[in-house]
Amino acid sequence: MEKPSQLKRLPDSSCNMKCSGNPKYSCGGYLTINVFWTGIQRFKAQEARNASTDSEIEKPARIAYLLTVNGRASRQVKRLISILYHPSHFFYIHVDARQDYLYREMLQVEKSCKTNNIIVAKGENLRQASIWGGASLLTTLLKSAQQMLAHHHYWDFLVNLSESDFPIKSNTQVTQFLSLNKGMNFVKSHGREVQRFITKQGLDKTFVECETRMWRIGDRKLPDGIQIDGGSDWVALSREFIEYVANPNPDALVTDLLKVFKYTLLPAESFFHTVLRNSKFCNTYIDNNLHITNWKRKLGCKCQYKAVVDWCGCSPNDFKLEDFSRIRNTIDRNLFFARKFESTIDQRIIDRVEEWLYPERINETVNAKGYDTYWQSLYHAADLSPLTDDAQLTISNSLARLIFRKLSINYKYIRLLETTAYFRQNQFVGILIFAEATIQSQAIQQTYIERIESLIYLRRNFSTSKEWLGKIQSLSVNTDYDQKEKTFRNLIGSIGPYSSPVLLYEFDIGIATPQNISILWVDPYGRLADVNYIQLEEMTLTGYVKPQFTEHLVVGTWHLFLVANSLLVAKTNFLVTPLAYWKNKRIDPKRAKEVNHVSGDSYHITEEMNKKWSHLLSSINFYERTTFNTDNEIKVNSDLDQWIDKLVQEHYEIDKICNVNNNKLKLEKCINTYWSSLSPDSKADINNLC
């Protein structure tokens, strides 16, 4: 890419080989080259301005934030909007087409803003189901850009963010910087040799998006004469460039590149870069997308998207409090946003960044209600999409019944309204069940609606032998294990017949190593279902194991035993709940029979293995053995509910209950509690924002 030094030049007499293309010419001899100037200059990105050279003061830039949001973290999105908000800015929110709950929440945000500078994408073809790496994400960005250009609110820059982004510079700093760089375009390039980037990204492969999956269907040749570029899909683009690239009748370059990128994996990571490099805007390219991203490649590149794409991609980790110094060290760099942040993983880092940016607000925020608390909805009765997990729905409905039963209320009908995960002081505390019941009043011969919310804990059924006291920090079985963040995403702990349970363990740092541990998985009938082995080393005291079960688990209380040197050292149990729902509808008797009453006699356990552990298992008498009975175990309808309630009661503990409305119950009002999802949350309060 660079012209060699003149000192390295050899005399023309060294050019003594006949040129294979044209024998009239000679070219370099052994290991000798000739240098020809092609006319294509090495691309050099522009430098951002950090100070004004004009005597007049720059007119403040107006920013249009395109928020492409997914999931259920509505309060975190509200907090993001709140910290970025300024009357001169414009917010356009695209909610994934499958996310009913978040869409309703964002419509409320739009409704609360009377100045009309917060708009939610709605209407035909304006909401897409965005999958990781999908071609639809580029379509979403371009369609959203067209809508933003058509809006009466004028803006100078489009900045795209997700629900897991957060600013690391104040609003004033962001505006000042962009004001000095009007007309420039901020994108982050890959920084690699181009061909290596093309191969790594799969740009030389053809992908087709179909049924929310990217299918790789073959190789392809990229067009000649085009400088391919790419890197990150988080950008800050000028209005002029957006008008060019999102034009409904684009020129030949954009038209043809759109055809190429329609069949490209991760198109948003390359399309804008490539158009910039090959268009009249090439001199506005600044190699910086204003973002710092928390890449931990060893954790983030676990091919976790294989379920939706035929390629192996990487995903950044969440920032945690211990990463704050990295963020603070960006103070003198042109970095204004960071990702990823998740309040369910670590809310303290978000609090710390906000306090750092706006120290003058500390007193009013730290003392505000709900400051050290976070709530995230897991289920809402109004949701049609996506379908919730049937085991979660079964347990939530069971808990709703158990709460009203605890209050000794003569109810006719109970309806689960919402299930919420509750965090306090950065720790997951428990589950909130919000439900209503139709109550029959004997005194006045009338029915009325009673609404309550309850705080529920998961019982930790974990114990160790006397010799191992304090040697094991935690032992838990759950599903949806996130290898990247080393935590379970299934906060309610619901395990059903078709779940894939995982054991997560953490041993104390003082334990003697190396040490071999056997893990025995025992079903509700006392039968050995699988055995795992782990070798504890000084550096591997935390980890997880996944047993090899058949696809269909026996329902009931399972037991897990840890054995070291042939001695039982720890035990825990977990519930595999019978299902009362199938695809979110009440399960029919025929389906209930085939789902909830499998005998589970097809374990991959050898006779030798059974023999090895039979003595130990026969000596364990601290659980009730159940005998499989095919006749009277076929429970459906109310019998099924009673069976589920009995099991759920053993694994979940109802702690506090509050009253939503002013009816007959002598309970604390939910709005006055510190834990209810209806209590004040200053961080996510956007009612007075506009």
Side-chain angles (χ1 to χ4, degrees):
M1 297 296 287
E2 291 175 347
K3 191 175 180 179
S5 162
Q6 280 293 112
L7 298 171
K8 302 249 176 108
R9 181 165 185 153
L10 294 170
D12 287 348
S13 59
S14 297
C15 298
N16 55 15
M17 282 176 65
K18 294 290 181 190
C19 177
S20 57
N22 187 340
K24 290 182 181 178
Y25 291 96
S26 295
C27 57
Y30 183 67
L31 296 181
T32 306
I33 60 166
N34 236 344
V35 178
F36 296 89
W37 188 250
T38 63
I40 299 175
Q41 294 183 26
R42 183 178 185 180
F43 179 75
K44 191 172 188 307
Q46 301 297 310
E47 294 292 327
R49 288 170 62 193
N50 284 294
S52 177
T53 54
D54 300 334
S55 54
E56 61 178 90
I57 298 168
E58 298 281 351
K59 190 178 178 184
R62 285 159 293 186
I63 305 166
Y65 286 106
L66 169 54
L67 305 183
T68 51
V69 297
N70 204 336
R72 304 185 73 87
S74 64
R75 296 183 191 234
Q76 189 164 322
V77 179
K78 290 174 187 175
R79 186 174 188 177
L80 174 63
I81 294 169
S82 182
I83 198 169
L84 291 173
Y85 186 81
H86 189 274
S88 68
H89 298 338
F90 175 47
F91 295 82
Y92 187 84
I93 307 172
H94 176 276
V95 184
D96 186 291
R98 298 162 295 183
Q99 301 291 340
D100 287 355
Y101 171 77
L102 195 56
Y103 182 58
R104 291 194 310 274
E105 289 283 300
M106 292 303 105
L107 288 175
Q108 287 300 315
V109 173
E110 180 190 74
K111 193 177 173 183
S112 72
C113 189
K114 308 300 180 199
T115 52
N116 198 30
N117 62 331
I118 300 179
I119 300 295
V120 176
K122 47 190 169 299
E124 196 175 353
N125 297 324
L126 291 181
R127 285 180 68 202
Q128 305 278 336
S130 306
I131 59 167
W132 183 88
S136 55
L137 183 56
L138 179 58
T139 309
T140 296
L141 293 174
L142 292 174
K143 280 190 176 177
S144 298
Q146 289 170 358
Q147 294 296 307
M148 294 164 82
L149 287 167
H151 196 268
H152 64 80
H153 196 107
Y154 188 86
W155 46 270
D156 301 293
F157 280 95
L158 185 152
V159 176
N160 69 325
L161 301 172
S162 76
E163 72 283 345
S164 54
D165 287 80
F166 206 72
I168 54 171
K169 296 280 197 301
S170 70
N171 240 331
T172 304
Q173 289 170 299
V174 178
T175 304
Q176 282 175 349
F177 177 78
L178 291 177
S179 301
L180 291 168
N181 291 280
K182 282 183 184 172
M184 305 309 282
N185 290 284
F186 297 87
V187 293
K188 185 64 188 158
S189 186
H190 51 85
R192 289 186 176 88
E193 191 268 319
V194 177
Q195 189 54 47
R196 189 168 157 232
F197 171 71
I198 288 170
T199 306
K200 177 186 171 290
Q201 289 285 104
L203 293 174
D204 52 357
K205 313 288 180 193
T206 300
F207 285 84
V208 173
E209 184 171 343
C210 178
E211 295 178 341
T212 60
R213 185 186 175 95
M214 289 295 283
W215 305 87
R216 180 159 62 101
I217 60 169
D219 297 337
R220 71 174 180 184
K221 187 177 183 296
L222 290 167
D224 291 330
I226 293 291
Q227 297 178 65
I228 298 295
D229 193 13
S232 168
D233 53 354
W234 305 104
V235 295
L237 304 173
S238 69
R239 184 184 184 94
E240 296 79 10
F241 180 66
I242 290 292
E243 286 173 338
Y244 170 70
V245 83
N247 190 325
N249 300 302
D251 69 8
L253 173 70
V254 175
T255 300
D256 291 345
L257 283 177
L258 282 171
K259 287 177 189 171
V260 172
F261 283 98
K262 184 180 178 182
Y263 302 104
T264 300
L265 178 70
L266 298 158
E269 291 190 3
S270 294
F271 175 75
F272 297 111
H273 303 64
T274 303
V275 175
L276 272 172
R277 287 284 299 271
N278 295 276
S279 70
K280 61 184 179 182
F281 292 93
C282 58
N283 290 326
T284 66
Y285 185 118
I286 294 179
D287 187 8
N288 173 10
N289 66 347
L290 313 183
H291 264 76
I292 179 174
T293 305
N294 191 22
W295 286 110
K296 293 179 182 173
R297 302 280 178 181
K298 284 183 180 177
L299 291 171
C301 300
K302 299 280 188 185
C303 299
Q304 64 264 51
Y305 300 110
K306 281 286 191 181
V308 292
V309 62
D310 293 340
W311 200 252
C312 194
C314 296
S315 177
N317 277 66
D318 291 326
F319 278 106
K320 295 177 182 167
L321 189 58
E322 56 264 32
D323 300 312
F324 178 66
S325 59
R326 281 183 60 204
I327 292 172
R328 189 173 50 202
N329 290 341
T330 64
I331 193 164
D332 296 323
R333 296 168 64 194
N334 292 332
L335 297 170
F336 297 86
F337 305 95
R339 66 190 312 270
K340 298 164 62 173
F341 295 91
E342 275 190 278
S343 295
T344 56
I345 299 296
D346 196 330
Q347 183 173 269
R348 298 167 303 172
I349 181 65
I350 305 173
D351 297 339
R352 185 72 188 87
V353 170
E354 192 169 348
E355 290 162 13
W356 177 57
L357 294 181
Y358 300 101
E360 69 278 6
R361 299 185 196 170
I362 288 178
N363 287 339
E364 62 181 84
T365 54
V366 172
N367 298 319
K369 285 192 173 181
Y371 180 73
D372 66 346
T373 311
Y374 181 70
W375 295 266
Q376 187 152 306
S377 173
L378 303 177
Y379 165 81
H380 195 288
D383 295 347
L384 294 176
S385 173
L387 290 179
T388 197
D389 177 64
D390 287 316
Q392 178 182 301
L393 195 55
T394 296
I395 286 176
S396 296
N397 275 279
S398 172
L399 288 168
R401 290 191 297 271
L402 290 168
I403 295 160
F404 278 104
R405 201 175 299 160
K406 185 173 181 177
L407 292 171
S408 303
I409 292 175
N410 182 25
Y411 58 83
K412 287 178 70 177
Y413 173 74
I414 287 178
R415 181 170 177 247
L416 172 69
L417 299 174
E418 191 166 10
T419 306
T420 305
Y422 168 58
F423 296 78
R424 194 161 192 213
Q425 295 178 341
N426 213 50
Q427 298 291 322
F428 172 65
V429 178
I431 297 298
L432 303 177
I433 296 291
F434 183 29
E436 68 178 20
T438 306
I439 310 295
Q440 178 71 55
S441 172
Q442 299 296 332
I444 53 175
Q445 293 296 302
Q446 279 185 332
T447 59
Y448 62 91
I449 302 294
E450 192 70 75
R451 285 186 166 190
I452 53 96
E453 190 168 41
S454 178
L455 171 58
I456 289 150
Y457 301 129
L458 280 70
R459 296 185 196 272
R460 296 294 175 204
N461 304 317
F462 152 54
S463 61
T464 61
S465 65
K466 212 177 284 182
E467 297 75 20
W468 275 63
L469 208 59
K471 290 185 179 180
I472 305 176
Q473 296 292 331
S474 67
L475 207 60
S476 56
V477 178
N478 204 340
T479 63
D480 300 340
Y481 180 66
D482 183 341
Q483 292 183 50
K484 188 160 60 75
E485 299 302 337
K486 298 182 177 178
T487 188
F488 288 114
R489 294 289 184 172
N490 178 2
L491 293 166
I492 194 170
S494 50
I495 303 174
Y498 298 103
S499 301
S500 300
V502 169
L503 167 70
L504 184 62
Y505 59 82
E506 183 182 354
F507 289 87
D508 188 74
I509 201 163
I511 196 169
T513 55
Q515 191 153 181
N516 293 316
I517 307 281
S518 301
I519 299 162
L520 279 56
W521 300 77
V522 179
D523 79 3
Y525 303 108
R527 298 172 302 193
L528 188 63
D530 200 9
V531 181
N532 298 125
Y533 302 98
I534 55 174
Q535 184 170 20
L536 289 184
E537 301 286 354
E538 197 176 334
M539 303 303 291
T540 57
L541 296 176
T542 302
Y544 72 97
V545 291
K546 191 174 181 181
Q548 296 299 309
F549 290 148
T550 53
E551 288 183 4
H552 199 150
L553 298 177
V554 178
V555 301
T557 298
W558 281 66
H559 300 270
L560 190 139
F561 304 116
L562 266 64
V563 180
N565 299 321
S566 302
L567 295 173
L568 179 65
V569 297
K571 61 184 180 180
T572 188
N573 61 39
F574 62 94
L575 171 64
V576 175
T577 181
L579 296 184
Y581 292 85
W582 185 259
K583 294 185 178 175
N584 288 200
K585 291 182 179 165
R586 187 72 192 184
I587 198 165
D588 62 75
K590 185 184 175 187
R591 178 79 67 182
K593 185 177 177 181
E594 64 184 58
V595 168
N596 297 332
H597 301 286
V598 65
S599 62
D601 50 8
S602 55
Y603 299 128
H604 306 297
I605 293 289
T606 62
E607 195 176 323
E608 187 183 339
M609 209 178 277
N610 258 324
K611 194 175 177 183
K612 179 182 177 181
W613 298 109
S614 60
H615 178 69
L616 180 76
L617 289 176
S618 62
S619 68
I620 296 168
N621 58 3
F622 42 74
Y623 65 90
E624 252 182 67
R625 286 182 186 273
T626 313
T627 321
F628 188 76
N629 189 328
T630 53
D631 299 326
N632 59 16
E633 283 285 326
I634 310 302
K635 298 182 172 73
V636 292
N637 299 329
S638 60
D639 285 344
L640 175 59
D641 287 346
Q642 284 176 26
W643 181 27
I644 292 167
D645 292 353
K646 183 176 180 293
L647 289 166
V648 167
Q649 208 163 9
E650 292 169 6
H651 292 268
Y652 294 83
E653 180 187 343
I654 298 167
D655 181 41
K656 295 177 173 64
I657 307 173
C658 66
N659 201 5
V660 177
N661 42 12
N662 288 313
N663 274 320
K664 316 291 184 289
L665 299 175
K666 291 180 181 177
L667 295 169
E668 185 177 12
K669 286 186 73 172
C670 291
I671 200 168
N672 296 332
T673 70
Y674 63 87
W675 54 267
S676 168
S677 63
L678 302 172
S679 62
D681 182 5
S682 56
K683 305 180 302 301
D685 185 6
I686 44 86
N687 289 321
N688 301 314
L689 191 65
C690 303

